[in-house]
Amino acid sequence: ADPSDDAYNWQRTDIILDGLEERGIAPIVSFSQTPGWANGSNAPEWVAGIDDYGAFVRAFATRYSGSGHALVRLYEPWNEPNNAAMLMPQWEGAGASAKLVAAETYAQMLARATSDIREVTPDAAVIGLGLADIDQSAPGIGGSSVADFIAALVPLTPRLTLVSQHLQPTDAPGVASTRVPSLGGFDRYLAALDTLAPNADVLITAVGYATSPGGLTDAQQATSTTQTMTTLARQPRVRLAIWYSLQDTFERPAGLLRTDGTEKPAWNAFAGSRKSIPSERP
């Protein structure tokens, strides 16, 4: 829990977070993955013990509490906890009797992170969920759907007033998908969310359309961007939308910039979208 422990190397994180603060940009810090020595020599998506997790979170929050380094006030305790590529184990058992243990693990993480972060930075906002936009799942296999994960959290009663959601549509322009979550199914998503966190504000922390190869044309991406941002701006509970990602990579050509840094048509479509966020929370 001590950020000055010699085992930590904060150099790269200092450059990023201090640099953002110098430019007036508030980061959302999202934790994910654990080293093998901490999780029983498993792959990075397997969690470590909750005490080890809490100690790291406290060390991080202490380092970035505004004393000597940047002040971080927005945290996501874990990235996409319903995604088997991000958090394991997801299930215990198989078939109809399978138990979604990832929800229990996440509830413990959320409670521990909230406690450790707010003891260091009392006015920090701890953002719940951060779910992958999985519509359906098979119990006992892979990850879990947004609806299933939310339902599993309900009896665990985490306190959520601010949540995040990933929304990466794959539909062609003009196709109104009703999957949950999607732009066409957003009201159904909010109805599911209200069973856990009534009237919680929503941050869309990843939204974007991939272009070719395998995706939309540049023109279609621009049209879809305008439609998406207009639709989200009409949702009074949506306070933020972050494009994912800024620049194309080989794995994900969904950037507003090409790999050479030149702008796609979607750059202007996104830059011209509504940007107005209420200031009641940090």
Side-chain angles (χ1 to χ4, degrees):
D2 179 5
S4 63
D5 192 303
D6 290 339
Y8 285 122
N9 181 352
W10 303 103
Q11 183 177 9
R12 181 173 182 271
T13 318
D14 285 349
I15 291 171
I16 294 170
L17 295 178
D18 292 348
L20 288 173
E21 184 168 80
E22 290 170 6
R23 291 158 177 81
I25 300 171
I28 296 175
V29 169
S30 179
F31 299 122
S32 67
Q33 301 193 330
T34 56
W37 56 261
N39 69 10
S41 300
N42 288 304
E45 63 268 21
W46 285 76
V47 299
I50 194 67
D51 288 337
D52 291 336
Y53 168 78
F56 168 72
V57 169
R58 180 176 286 268
F60 191 101
T62 302
R63 176 81 175 183
Y64 301 107
S65 60
S67 178
H69 290 283
L71 171 62
V72 174
R73 300 175 68 202
L74 295 162
Y75 286 93
E76 280 186 342
W78 201 259
N79 180 53
E80 296 191 347
N82 66 322
N83 184 350
M86 293 292 174
L87 179 62
M88 285 289 284
Q90 283 281 315
W91 303 92
E92 185 178 272
S97 62
K99 182 180 182 182
L100 187 50
V101 294
E104 296 181 359
T105 302
Y106 176 73
Q108 294 175 357
M109 286 180 160
L110 178 63
R112 183 62 184 263
T114 300
S115 174
D116 281 294
I117 290 169
R118 287 186 175 158
E119 283 189 23
V120 176
T121 309
D123 64 345
V126 180
I127 305 163
L129 301 182
L131 302 178
D133 58 345
I134 300 172
D135 181 32
Q136 296 179 331
S137 59
I141 302 174
S144 55
S145 72
V146 168
D148 287 345
F149 198 87
I150 289 174
L153 279 176
V154 170
L156 304 175
T157 61
R159 298 179 180 178
L160 299 174
T161 58
L162 187 63
V163 304
S164 60
Q165 177 61 51
H166 294 176
L167 186 64
Q168 298 174 56
T170 56
D171 304 310
V175 177
S177 172
T178 58
R179 65 191 295 272
V180 177
S182 68
L183 294 177
F186 206 78
D187 287 341
R188 292 174 59 207
Y189 162 72
L190 292 177
L193 180 62
D194 280 344
T195 64
L196 174 68
N199 300 314
D201 286 338
V202 180
L203 309 181
I204 304 298
T205 48
V207 63
Y209 290 88
T211 53
S212 58
L216 307 179
T217 66
D218 284 1
Q220 287 175 328
Q221 185 196 40
T223 299
S224 297
T225 299
T226 299
Q227 293 172 346
T228 297
M229 300 311 295
T230 300
T231 301
L232 292 176
R234 291 172 179 163
Q235 291 283 350
R237 290 169 62 180
V238 173
R239 296 181 49 239
L240 176 69
I242 298 176
W243 192 267
Y244 177 70
S245 54
L246 179 66
Q247 188 167 6
D248 281 353
T249 63
F250 178 78
E251 298 83 4
R252 181 173 171 77
L256 300 171
L257 302 174
R258 301 180 182 89
T259 53
D260 63 3
T262 58
E263 299 173 1
K264 297 181 185 178
W267 174 276
N268 287 330
F270 184 79
S273 63
R274 171 182 169 183
K275 297 178 183 67
S276 178
I277 302 171
S279 58
E280 289 81 3
R281 293 195 177 96

